[in-house]
Amino acid sequence: MRPWSIGRRGFLRAGLGATLALLGSGVAAQAGDTGDELDISKMTLTFEDNFDSLSVSPWGPGTRWIAHTPWNGDFGGARFTDPKGDFPFKTEDGMLRITAARDSKGEWRSGLLASVDAKGDGFSQQYGYFEMRARLPDGPGVWPAFWLIGKDRSKSTAEIDVLEYYGDKPGAYSATVHVWHRGGKHDSDYSRINVFGDSSPTDLHTYGVKIDTDFIRMYFDGKFVWKTKVLPEHRQPMYILVNLGIVDSITKMVAPDPSFMFVDYVRAYQFK
């Protein structure tokens, strides 16, 4: 569960050519699959950013990513900042680096990418497979994440946290699904993915989620690790967010400064 409940904070994502990633390029629903096996050869690539360069602006329009949550809300112990120079984003050798660091006043600043803007323009997709390949920071206080939010927030907000790694709780990462209802009701399911005994979060790994009409399935390095039933609110186009957060607790005082998250790529596929 994210500590920044949408119910408490307000209601609250390159290319298969740049064309597919232009703002306004939401992909229509295409159901299928329903199995635990992950076979990308049976899917069609619909979104890809390999971070050879970065198309980002604070709020758009006309860029692949914006640097804030579309609902204009920060969370955790670091504020997400407009890109300037190499902070908080830098691309080098085909990889994106997101930096979290204290500013001159001692306040944490970091970076977030979202694939739609405040008007809902950008990349979103109903059903399919979404994946990030990344190296995570380690140590107390760090909180990298790869997640999805449903576009329709008129009655509730549908959220899928593919990856949340809390440096305060090493050894595993969290995968969670939420529905935050406007009336205050909260539906969720959760699993702790215990993979960092033999592997290290600081190495390159893939973190993925497959969504169809029946299940939400999670994958680590292409291997199935957990599933939960789809709720009606998740049967809609969802957009992508990637960020490096800082936990809003006493551990942020000892978090590595600076901390870095390295993202090799973000991709999305539809079922054929």
Side-chain angles (χ1 to χ4, degrees):
M1 177 188 298
R2 287 185 179 273
W4 45 275
S5 164
I6 299 173
R8 297 194 302 268
R9 301 290 295 271
F11 275 77
L12 314 146
R13 191 168 351 227
L16 188 64
T19 310
L20 278 175
L22 290 174
L23 296 178
S25 63
V27 178
Q30 184 175 341
D33 205 294
T34 73
D36 292 347
E37 181 185 359
L38 180 64
D39 188 351
I40 291 176
S41 69
K42 296 180 180 179
M43 304 180 193
T44 301
L45 183 68
T46 52
F47 179 89
E48 181 176 36
D49 198 333
N50 292 313
F51 299 110
D52 297 313
S53 60
L54 181 63
S55 175
V56 63
S57 62
W59 294 105
T63 53
R64 181 168 295 151
W65 305 95
I66 65 169
H68 297 278
T69 59
W71 58 90
N72 193 18
D74 285 326
F75 54 86
R79 287 191 173 275
F80 299 116
T81 187
D82 292 351
K84 185 177 182 181
D86 290 340
F87 187 83
F89 309 112
K90 180 181 181 180
T91 56
E92 186 175 44
D93 299 326
M95 194 168 292
L96 170 69
R97 184 187 75 189
I98 306 177
T99 301
R102 291 186 179 92
D103 62 16
S104 59
K105 297 181 181 179
E107 299 295 326
W108 280 98
R109 298 287 187 268
S110 191
L112 177 146
L113 297 176
S115 67
V116 303
D117 63 18
K119 295 181 179 179
D121 294 328
F123 178 81
S124 63
Q125 178 175 293
Q126 183 173 357
Y127 305 129
Y129 178 65
F130 302 78
E131 182 178 84
M132 176 186 72
R133 186 171 190 249
R135 292 169 48 200
L136 310 180
D138 203 4
V142 299
W143 183 21
F146 173 51
W147 45 304
L148 311 176
I149 291 285
K151 285 187 69 176
D152 182 3
R153 297 181 286 109
S154 58
K155 297 180 180 179
S156 62
T157 295
E159 176 180 347
I160 300 176
D161 299 323
V162 186
L163 156 77
E164 291 181 280
Y165 178 66
Y166 295 93
D168 301 352
K169 302 174 183 179
Y173 69 91
S174 298
T176 313
V177 298
H178 299 279
V179 178
W180 308 91
H181 299 272
R182 280 196 178 272
K185 180 185 175 183
H186 174 217
D187 298 312
S188 70
D189 199 5
Y190 158 90
S191 181
R192 187 154 167 82
I193 312 299
N194 296 293
V195 293
F196 294 141
D198 298 326
S199 303
S200 170
T202 61
D203 293 333
L204 277 171
H205 296 288
T206 60
Y207 305 88
V209 61
K210 187 169 65 174
I211 310 165
D212 60 32
T213 54
D214 298 324
F215 289 98
I216 296 170
R217 296 174 171 90
M218 302 292 181
Y219 298 84
F220 175 76
D221 285 343
K223 297 179 181 179
F224 170 74
V225 290
W226 178 63
K227 70 181 176 183
T228 186
K229 290 184 177 180
V230 165
L231 295 176
E233 292 83 358
H234 291 107
R235 296 187 178 110
Q236 63 165 306
M238 307 197 77
Y239 59 88
I240 303 168
L241 300 102
V242 177
N243 68 269
L244 174 52
I246 297 293
V247 177
D248 194 12
S249 72
I250 193 170
T251 56
K252 74 179 181 181
M253 303 303 294
V254 293
D257 181 14
S259 289
F260 304 106
M261 177 182 182
F262 295 91
V263 184
D264 185 27
Y265 64 73
V266 174
R267 295 172 183 164
Y269 302 80
Q270 265 192 338
F271 304 127
K272 291 181 180 179

